Amino acid sequence: MQKIYVLAGVALMMVACGGDEKAYDATGTFEATETTVYAEQSGALLTFSVNEGDMIEAGKEVGLIDTTQTWLKIQQMAATKEVYQSQKPDMERQIAATRQQLSKAQQDEQRYRELVADGAAPSKMLDDASSQVKVLQKQLDAQISSLSTSTRSLDKQTVAANVQIEQLRDMLRKCHIVTPTKGTVLEKYVERGEFVAIGKPLFKIADTEQMFMRAYVTSAQLQNIKIGQKVKVFADYGDGQKKAYDGTVSWISSRSEFTPKTILTDDERADLVYAVKVAIKNDGYVKIGMYGELKL
């Protein structure tokens, strides 16, 4: 009989000891990568199809800021560009007459040179012909230089107009509000018809499919953790309701910090802890801010 009591006492001690062992190594909260979308142009919000809780694909257009003034400026710059192009001189036509006069003067110079060589004409006639060739050559060079300068100036003005047109087209594109990433709309800050300015927040979106849990571990636990390590994560729904997920350690803080007031660690006597992030694939049940547990 006494032997039975001894065995029973040993069993109770084993249960008690086993009950002190925690089922987790660290706790934390679930987070998601959040992105706030801002207005990139100013104007009235003509359309805005965003509602809190909506799932939106990356690259989807969800709103439009008034584009009227930007479009009109593009038309104005396009007309200015055409004016510059129409003012470009036709160099060959404008120098054709001078070039023909120069050719005729060179022919006369050659003829007088032959006549003077034969003694059939005075040398003064050759000098006059040579002088005329030089004058016309200088006139032709001056015309070419002037027309080239004018052409280069107009070409640069055309390039400047093209740059301004591209800037305006970029402004026009920015009037179209496009989601930068896939996710769920968390908050909506404006409504259709409101006037928005550059930099005004429009809505906040978060990737709730690829979430992570931020947990805190002690330096003693840190030696057993590395990036890429597979771990178990448990979402805590309260009243003992939990759900397990496969997780991967995606980030480990390089510096320690004091234990946050809302965080429990395996060693509650530790003052300094290290933050780690564990990535999980969400099945729709894990919510931002929900508590969770980490098992290494």
Side-chain angles (χ1 to χ4, degrees):
M1 190 68 176
Q2 187 176 5
K3 186 176 181 181
I4 295 175
Y5 286 142
V6 173
L7 292 173
V10 172
L12 288 172
M13 290 177 64
M14 292 177 64
V15 171
C17 292
D20 290 338
E21 184 180 353
K22 293 181 179 179
Y24 56 87
D25 295 301
T27 63
T29 54
F30 287 96
E31 301 177 355
T33 301
E34 299 180 0
T35 303
T36 301
V37 179
Y38 296 86
E40 297 185 85
Q41 289 298 316
S42 298
L45 198 56
L46 301 182
T47 63
F48 193 55
S49 57
V50 170
N51 294 297
E52 294 180 358
D54 287 351
M55 282 288 298
I56 304 178
E57 296 294 327
K60 180 180 179 182
E61 183 173 328
V62 295
L64 177 65
I65 298 172
D66 188 7
T67 62
T68 303
Q69 293 303 315
T70 304
W71 183 83
L72 290 174
K73 289 179 181 178
I74 291 176
Q75 302 306 308
Q76 181 182 22
M77 285 308 305
T80 301
K81 176 183 172 182
E82 290 182 2
V83 170
Y84 292 149
Q85 291 176 332
S86 67
Q87 290 177 344
K88 288 179 64 175
D90 187 338
M91 184 178 296
E92 290 303 319
R93 286 188 177 183
Q94 294 195 30
I95 66 174
T98 304
R99 194 185 293 279
Q100 186 174 3
Q101 290 176 1
L102 176 61
S103 178
K104 178 66 171 57
Q106 289 172 337
Q107 291 175 0
D108 291 343
E109 181 187 26
Q110 181 60 31
R111 186 170 62 254
Y112 286 131
R113 181 174 286 108
E114 293 173 355
L115 291 173
V116 169
D118 294 339
S123 59
K124 184 178 183 306
M125 297 184 66
L126 176 60
D127 293 340
D128 292 341
S130 297
S131 177
Q132 182 66 15
V133 168
K134 292 178 181 178
V135 169
L136 290 173
Q137 183 64 58
K138 290 181 178 179
Q139 288 180 355
L140 181 62
D141 293 342
Q143 280 184 313
I144 292 175
S145 176
S146 176
L147 293 173
S148 297
T149 300
S150 178
T151 299
R152 285 194 299 269
S153 176
L154 290 169
D155 284 341
K156 290 180 179 179
Q157 288 177 310
T158 301
V159 170
N162 285 331
V163 171
Q164 292 184 46
I165 290 173
E166 288 304 314
Q167 289 175 334
L168 291 168
R169 286 176 178 169
D170 181 63
M171 293 171 62
L172 194 64
R173 285 191 293 269
K174 289 178 178 177
C175 288
H176 297 262
I177 303 168
V178 178
T179 54
T181 183
K182 177 183 178 181
T184 303
V185 178
L186 300 181
E187 296 181 62
K188 177 182 178 181
Y189 304 118
V190 296
E191 296 291 342
R192 175 184 174 184
E194 291 186 32
F195 182 89
V196 297
I198 296 176
K200 182 179 178 62
L202 304 177
F203 63 97
K204 182 185 291 185
I205 192 171
D207 184 359
T208 54
E209 290 187 358
Q210 303 294 332
M211 295 184 65
F212 56 88
M213 187 182 79
R214 180 188 291 268
Y216 293 85
V217 298
T218 64
S219 57
Q221 294 172 309
L222 192 63
Q223 61 184 347
N224 298 320
I225 303 175
K226 62 180 180 179
I227 294 178
Q229 180 178 338
K230 302 298 182 182
V231 296
K232 275 292 181 182
V233 173
F234 299 89
D236 189 349
Y237 295 95
D239 295 330
Q241 300 295 319
K242 298 180 182 180
K243 189 172 183 180
Y245 295 88
D246 293 324
T248 303
V249 178
S250 59
W251 173 81
I252 301 174
S253 176
S254 58
R255 64 175 61 178
S256 63
E257 55 187 285
F258 287 101
T259 307
K261 297 296 183 181
T262 58
I263 298 299
L264 299 176
T265 64
D266 188 48
D267 183 0
E268 294 180 355
R269 294 172 300 176
D271 290 328
L272 295 176
V273 292
Y274 294 83
V276 298
K277 287 183 180 180
V278 179
I280 66 164
K281 177 72 174 178
N282 188 13
D283 56 2
Y285 291 100
V286 178
K287 306 300 180 183
I288 297 174
M290 182 181 289
Y291 283 95
E293 300 171 353
L294 172 65
K295 184 65 178 177
L296 299 176

